[in-house]
Amino acid sequence: MNSDRKTRTSKIRTVRTLPAGLLKRAVYACLLLGCCTACGEEENTRSLTVEKYRPLAVETVNLNEDEVPGRGVLGNGEAIGVFATNASGVTSYTNRYNVRYRSDGTKWTSDAPVLLGNKNAAISAYHPYKDETMTGTSMVLTSQYYQSSADISYAKSQDRNSTSTTTATVNFSMVRAYSQIVFELNRATTYVGNFKLTKVGIKHSGIIGNCYLNVAAGIYSSRIANADFSYIPGGTGIGGSKETTLTSGVLMVPPASALTGKFTISLTIDDNVNTVDIDALPLVAGTKYKVTVKVEGIHKITVSQVTVEDWLEVPITPEYPL
């Protein structure tokens, strides 16, 4: 037993008498190894975090029904609003609404781009961009006189994702949200007034004043009827200088089904209300109807023809250059 105690004591003394310099070097080596391992783990984590989410790259934006030469593909100076929400079965993303992407003629960029990881996000978009706060993928459509800034087109959602080595890309092929009616008034030689058009009315029980459009789903909802719809051309009226032709367009919210029966059209010209009945127009989204009217005198107007026309037959502006 005494022999064992001596042996243990000898071993303990051996450890305790380890040279101080060697002990310090051993401790330093262990600390250095631990630090390197931790740094490596931190660097790997940082690298994965950066590569996991990559910016969504918008490649092209097409307006399918745009007939103006060179305008089929949106380009320099154009802006779109992009929605990015969790795809079916995904919960890891924070939904993004109305993210602005702008084209410089060569690429689409955003100051705060959508970031995608390896799970699907539902990506949709609309044009032209509206600088307003949105809390979902729905927007209000309102029947109103034609303005290019109100002429909404949209692309329904498509699933996109990225990986640590692949950037998510998307191409938007948009369709028009509204139907359009254009009234062309031709002045006969028998009409002697100033020829100023200050109001256009369309009466029909199926006319829709406004509704919601879910851009992601392409679904119209909450339609509100306006059976006695009217608008002021150009916002303040047009003509008044004895022009020979006046043209006024109006964007119409598409009804749930094609309209039938009759439209009663009223035209206020030089403060005189003139009315005429025509067959109801179906008002299909993306379709433009042209109603040509001959004005021969006070309360004497006739509709010479109703045709389906190319969408953009409005005067060319800086927003829609050739």
Side-chain angles (χ1 to χ4, degrees):
M1 181 177 294
N2 290 337
S3 176
D4 291 341
R5 183 182 295 115
K6 288 179 180 180
T7 300
R8 287 196 298 269
T9 302
S10 176
K11 289 181 178 179
I12 292 173
R13 286 176 180 174
T14 300
V15 173
R16 288 179 177 174
T17 58
L18 186 68
L22 181 59
L23 179 60
K24 289 181 179 179
R25 285 195 293 272
V27 171
Y28 177 76
C30 290
L31 291 174
L32 182 61
L33 179 60
C35 289
C36 290
T37 301
C39 290
E41 290 177 353
E42 181 181 353
E43 184 62 32
N44 287 338
T45 300
R46 184 183 300 115
S47 177
L48 287 173
T49 301
V50 171
E51 293 184 353
K52 183 177 180 180
Y53 294 97
R54 289 174 173 268
L56 173 69
V58 176
E59 293 190 329
T60 60
V61 181
N62 292 287
L63 296 185
N64 281 349
E65 304 299 325
D66 201 337
E67 295 87 9
V68 173
R71 295 291 300 180
V73 179
L74 295 182
N76 190 26
E78 297 287 353
I80 62 174
V82 173
F83 302 101
T85 61
N86 284 298
S88 178
V90 178
T91 60
S92 56
Y93 292 115
T94 298
N95 292 336
R96 302 284 305 280
Y97 304 115
N98 200 29
V99 180
R100 184 187 190 213
Y101 277 75
R102 185 177 177 85
S103 173
D104 64 3
T106 60
K107 62 184 180 302
W108 291 86
T109 58
S110 174
D111 294 334
V114 171
L115 300 178
L116 297 181
N118 58 12
K119 293 183 179 180
N120 279 338
I123 309 297
S124 56
Y126 75 95
H127 170 271
Y129 173 78
K130 294 181 179 296
D131 187 12
E132 58 187 57
T133 300
M134 296 186 184
T135 58
T137 59
S138 291
M139 59 195 314
V140 176
L141 299 183
T142 301
S143 294
Q144 59 187 293
Y145 75 89
Y146 184 91
Q147 302 175 84
S148 58
S149 60
D151 188 3
I152 298 295
S153 295
Y154 67 97
K156 296 192 295 184
S157 67
Q158 46 190 303
D159 288 351
R160 289 291 182 272
N161 62 55
S162 68
T163 67
S164 61
T165 58
T166 305
T167 298
T169 61
V170 65
N171 295 279
F172 292 120
S173 185
M174 297 191 173
V175 296
R176 296 192 181 278
Y178 286 99
S179 181
Q180 184 184 175
I181 304 175
V182 170
F183 295 95
E184 180 181 281
L185 279 61
N186 295 307
R187 173 187 184 133
T189 56
T190 54
Y191 188 80
V192 296
N194 290 324
F195 207 43
K196 183 169 184 176
L197 178 66
T198 53
K199 187 176 182 180
V200 176
I202 308 171
K203 286 187 178 183
H204 188 282
S205 61
I207 295 292
I208 305 300
N210 53 68
C211 77
Y212 286 101
L213 169 65
N214 186 318
V215 172
I219 295 175
Y220 298 79
S221 64
S222 302
R223 289 179 170 90
I224 298 178
N226 185 351
D228 194 10
F229 171 78
S230 65
Y231 72 98
I232 299 174
T236 58
I238 58 176
S241 299
K242 296 185 181 295
E243 290 89 343
T244 57
T245 301
L246 299 177
T247 302
S248 175
V250 56
L251 295 170
M252 302 297 294
V253 175
S257 58
L259 302 183
T260 59
K262 295 288 184 178
F263 280 177
T264 296
I265 306 297
S266 61
L267 305 171
T268 302
I269 306 170
D270 295 334
D271 297 324
N272 297 300
V273 180
N274 307 267
T275 61
V276 64
D277 287 345
I278 64 171
D279 289 336
L281 302 175
L283 299 184
V284 176
T287 302
K288 172 182 170 182
Y289 308 89
K290 183 177 180 180
V291 179
T292 304
V293 180
K294 185 176 182 180
V295 181
E296 299 178 271
I298 297 176
H299 307 309
K300 190 176 181 181
I301 63 173
T302 56
V303 174
S304 56
Q305 63 177 353
V306 177
T307 57
V308 174
E309 304 283 326
D310 289 342
W311 185 269
L312 286 176
E313 198 180 342
V314 296
I316 301 302
T317 70
E319 292 182 89
Y320 287 96
L322 288 174

